[in-house]
Amino acid sequence: MAEEMDVRDFPEDADPHLIHEIARLHPDCLTLADAGIARMEMAPASGLAALGLPLPRGKRDLLVPAERRDAVVREIQGHLDRARRRNELLAASRRVLDPAGHVSLHPGDGRDRVRLAMTDALPWTGMAEPIRFAVSRQIDVDEFAGLHDAGPDHAGLRDRLVADGVLAERLHADAARLAERLWRYAEEAGAADDGWTFGSLCDRLGRGSRNHQDADEILRRWDREFDAWRRDRAEARGRAFIDRHFDFSRYELLFPVARGMGRRLVLVIGPTNSGKTHRALEALRGASSGVYLAPLRLLALEVMDRLNRDGTPTTLLTGEEEIRTPDARHMASTIEMMDPERPVDVAVIDEIQMLADADRGWAWTAALMGVPADTVYLLGAPEARQLVERVAAHLGEPLEIVELERKAPLSMIPRRLEWTDVEAGDALIAFSRRDVHLIRDAVHAQGLTAAVLYGALAPDVRRLEAERFLSGLADVVVATDAIGMGLNLPVRRVLFTALEKFDGTAVRPLAPAEIRQIAGRAGRFGQFEAGEFGVVTRNTPQALKTLMERPDARLGPQASLAIRPTRSMLARLAEYSGTTAMTLLIDWFSAARTAGSLYRIGDLGALRRLALLLDERSLAFPDKLSLLFVPADLEKEAEMRLFRAILQAVETVEPMPIGHVVPSRIDGLGDQALEDLSRACDLYYWAARRFRTLFPDRDGVRERRALIGSRLGDLLASRARREREPKQSAGSAGKGGKPGPGFRGAPRKRFGPRRR
């Protein structure tokens, strides 16, 4: 039988706390609570016995199975012996190892284990000090049995620690990994003469890995520092490249074709209905080649039709469509489509006061600086004169100013009108699709029919609605402020239903130029002797007059011109910087220097939001460039959804037929759904022009767009016919077809966007 263990067999100096710590880790040791008994006297009845070893006061309730007590005590004694030998081993190592040496021994994870560590230093050119790194491993004390007792100088222990083969091999491997990473960094850094040298990277690497000796952690920190250094270098070089090669403070020099033509500028100013467009189109007809740059797709289409009718072959080009005319040497396009590389004899830039527009002003700046024409006609409101004069002086180009007078007098109605005052021939102006339809319903309640014109309608539908008004099928026209951009309608009076609009960011009062532009649509030479404008159901004539006469600093002589980068600029910057992150490129252009110049960087927020979407996808950089300038309003859910579908098709290289976007049957759809589908056709056609194989139904989309336009036009016309007779309009009409009490025009949103 095994000899029975006794507490007297334990050393007198045994640490009770250490014994308790080791015992509590033994699987056979239990406390009273673990055993489910209340007192030690109850242990034998459960087959348990007291451990019987010296334990700290208050912790003497450890129990073990009675038949296992001796084995457990021997095991605990073995652990105590190994802990004692570990402590002796650590003490011996401190005597035999150089404190400043590269080998050291430390307590391990357990009482019977030690941790052997080796350090080394890797000197590297460019680093302020050698790279210190270390390796270590856990070793059981039994591996060192007898070594710390061999001789008074413990030479065997010292040799064993210093010559550990496992750690020496790992130390060599880690040194090779660190060196390989530094070689790669040096190669990617290259030879630089702008301060972004490998030495500047080494400064960051040293700071980033300071106080860390594990090679894996050092490499992780180095990679983070290298990525940050590379981003900072790309940003600094990108911005320097922009300022050096693009120099937005001399933005006009980015259009070498226009700068080399010796252009002549002709500013034709005057109020609406003064014949500005007629004069410019006469110049286009007399030129062998020309381009008309319009603010609206519908206006470009109208000019193309007029020139073609007059025998001047003209092609249409907008972001959403292209209509080629055989043998055409003239083009009508939206201003964003201006081609700075195609010289012509005459160019016409319409609505030049749009230079002050917060969202699209950059397009008028680019056209004014870069349209390559011998003669450039600038059509606009008189308040743009000072700014254009300043631009002409800056460019050193001759400027001729033609001032035209309005052909029919215009006056303000001195009182506020009510719905009962609305008459045939009036135009009622609202500033949202929702308000247009509400006002149309209020007009119908008076027994009048109405045509509607707003931006969400396709050009064909807007033309049909305009024709209904021109032919007399509609008594009045309810339109957004797009009516001010040159749409020629015989309007007797212009009535504002609101004097504020939401501009995409906030609700703001109408600008003086906007009011004059819209109000000027009243009266038509040869049809109405005079035009009138005023307010209906809301606001006052005085408020309208105050806004009209308010100074407009946006067009003052010291106003700056908004600019933004083009596709080619982004491509050049990406090639130079080596980055395809579109967001970074946009950010660098946002910070371009323009201080003290005629220019300022316009709001690139919308471009940046698009860039974020593109950077989330696995797209080739040329595809990103094509998609960045999509003519979509991503604030609208339907357009965002379609744009994501376009992204998916380009990313996966999977063709998307038109049937995935627009159904072949549209029976029963309402006007909102039809408008969304019409817009979807526009975006599909835009994508088909850039990715022909991925969006193969370029011809089919035209047919569906025409079908949708016809259906929407019929729907709007039939609604007007149904409501021809006076009747109660839901939510707005009272008895006898009159608006109900308290209805003051299109309602304000109770919880709307912020105002400014």
Side-chain angles (χ1 to χ4, degrees), residues 566-576 585 589 621 625:
T566 64
R567 175 188 171 121
S568 62
M569 292 177 189
L570 288 165
R572 285 181 60 193
L573 179 58
E575 181 180 5
Y576 174 79
L585 300 177
F589 272 109
F621 186 72
L625 275 179

Side-chain angles (χ1 to χ4, degrees), residues 657-674:
I658 184 60
H660 289 186
V661 177
V662 181
S664 57
R665 294 184 61 86
I666 57 175
D667 299 339
L669 295 180
D671 51 1
Q672 179 67 72
L674 291 171

Side-chain angles (χ1 to χ4, degrees), residues 127-193:
M127 301 292 285
E129 55 187 31
I131 305 148
R132 301 191 180 280
F133 59 103
V135 294
S136 65
R137 71 184 184 101
Q138 301 282 334
I139 305 176
D140 194 284
V141 295
D142 290 342
E143 289 192 31
F144 298 94
L147 286 177
H148 58 285
D149 297 325
D153 59 354
H154 305 288
L157 176 62
R158 182 177 60 249
D159 293 344
R160 169 68 180 80
L161 295 175
V162 172
D164 187 273
V166 174
L167 288 186
E169 184 176 345
R170 285 177 52 191
L171 206 63
H172 179 75
D174 284 352
R177 287 198 297 152
L178 294 171
E180 186 277 331
R181 191 66 55 88
L182 289 172
W183 277 115
R184 181 164 67 82
Y185 291 160
E187 183 178 349
E188 291 193 34
D193 57 2

